Amino acid sequence: MKVDVLLGLQWGDEGKGKVVDVLTPKYDVITRFQGGPNAGHTLEFDNQKFVLHNIPSGIFHTDKINVIGNGVVLDPITFKREIDGLMAKGTDLTKNLYISKKAHLILPTHRILDAASEASKGATKIGSTLKGIGPTYMDKTGRNGLRVGDILSGFDEKYEALKAKHIQMLRMYNFEYDIEAFEKGLQEGIETIKMFKLIDSEHELNRYISEGKSLLAEGAQGTLLDIDFGSYPFVTSSNTVCAGACTGMGIAPNKIGEVFGIFKAYCTRVGSGPFPTELFDEVGENLRKNGNEFGSTTGRPRRCGWLDLVALKYSVMINGVTQLIMMKSDVLSDQEIIKVATAYKVDGEVITDFPFELPENLEPVYTEMPGWKCDLTNVQTEAEFPAAFKNYITYLEKELGVPITIISVGPDRAQTIIR
Ligand code: GDP
Ligand code: IMO
Ligand code: MG
């Protein structure tokens, strides 16, 4: 069997967690392949709501295997908090959650370095989630990092050596910190990780493939936050694109099957950085309110704007998307007119290729369409779609050249239409 990949096409928070949970019954194994607790993936079912940060979104289907892959960065402290929260609600994960020995560890000093770096940047800060993501991936590529497998022998010594190095680095910054507060819970977190099966995940995942098991790879963040292809430097520190699933799991490119590209029917961004179609008016406010657009990890209000086809076409291209999933169409229900950016105008020149940089004077060129002006949240079949909504879907499929196979009209598992 091949590995299907589900990943975000915008600036994250597209609804990946919800759809992975919906698709999990079709798969045997769900794997996270990059990112870490900067992610917040929301799942709603049976009047319950869960936000997952480290753990794959297949976890509530207890007969499925969930794997934290080698490309992920794992913070023992937030991991323990997440496990404790789920265990308290009656979900025992020790049987069906496995962790790659090659996943890198986020240490307390990585979080301090993240905070110090952001504070030193002032107005040009990235707007990081402050989970230590950047410094941990820097240690990985700088060949200094500690991995999950390191907790099995001589961890304390390795930890103290890297911590000493980080303390040296922190002297560069004029930043005050209380190291003991940051370290609180580290040992307990390490012990929690040890409760799980720590695996050579590249071998295990390839074995599953040869045994005929079906695998779904769950992306975190989104293509426009990718370290290579996103709106650099306002990005995260990992490859969020499809290629990241290969390196983050040890899967060869020819083993990739379907690529599910997920996007909101509009667009959001949290943190700093350019956002060409951002709305600063009452329409933006309405989207934030109707869509409950507040960060799942940090609670920050998300910036909202119209759908951007220049960016979306770029994301479809980079990822080789084979099926599109459109989320949160219900949030647009109040709009008389719906706008979609089809090009950018920069210094009088019209461009349709997502550029090297998104300059401040960039103006989106919009196409307008009539809104559907009705509640979609109870719609259960495609036959019930209003005509204006059908037009929106047909227009996007034609522009993007890829079919939209799943449409979500509300946060609950049940509010999903598979076409
Ligand atoms: P992820 O990071 O991609 O998993 O997305 P988040 O969980 O951070 O953000 C998506 C938010 O939208 C969550 O609060 C979901 O419960 C919610 N959501 C998902 N799909 C829909 C939908 O179709 N309509 C509405 N109104 N909310 C949705
Ligand atoms: P999910 O998986 C939305 C953003 C941060 C910041 C930038 C860098 O829930 O879609 P980092 O902490 O990674 O150094 O922050 O990336 N960011 C996200 N935005 N959803 C996410 O994850 C994000 N993870 C990071 O806001 O702008
Ligand atoms: Mg999220």
Side-chain angles (χ1 to χ4, degrees), residues 11 121 124-126 138 222-239 269 272-274 314 354-359:
W11 277 288
K121 286 186 170 155
T124 60
K125 70 175 183 186
I126 308 295
M138 279 164 75
T223 302
L224 304 178
L225 288 170
D226 180 87
I227 183 70
D228 281 281
F229 299 105
S231 49
Y232 193 87
F234 300 99
V235 293
T236 191
S237 298
S238 65
N239 279 120
R269 170 162 209 172
S272 333
Y314 174 75
F354 193 73
F356 172 71
E357 267 175 340
L358 295 161

Side-chain angles (χ1 to χ4, degrees), residues 11-14 16 32 38-41 114 126-134 219-222 225 234-237 269-272 296-297 300 302:
W11 277 288
D13 301 329
E14 296 89 349
K16 299 173 290 292
R32 276 276 308 268
N38 48 350
H41 294 183
D114 201 358
I126 308 295
S128 145
T129 59
L130 302 179
K131 302 292 176 193
I133 305 295
Q221 292 78 57
L225 288 170
F234 300 99
V235 293
T236 191
S237 298
R269 170 162 209 172
V270 63
S272 333
S296 315
T297 297
R300 291 177 291 180
R302 294 178 183 145

Side-chain angles (χ1 to χ4, degrees), residues 13-18 40-42 44 296 302 327-328 330-331 408-411:
D13 301 329
E14 296 89 349
K16 299 173 290 292
K18 168 180 166 164
H41 294 183
T42 314
E44 289 192 33
S296 315
R302 294 178 183 145
M327 309 299 288
K328 304 191 89 159
D330 55 297
V331 175
S408 172
V409 293

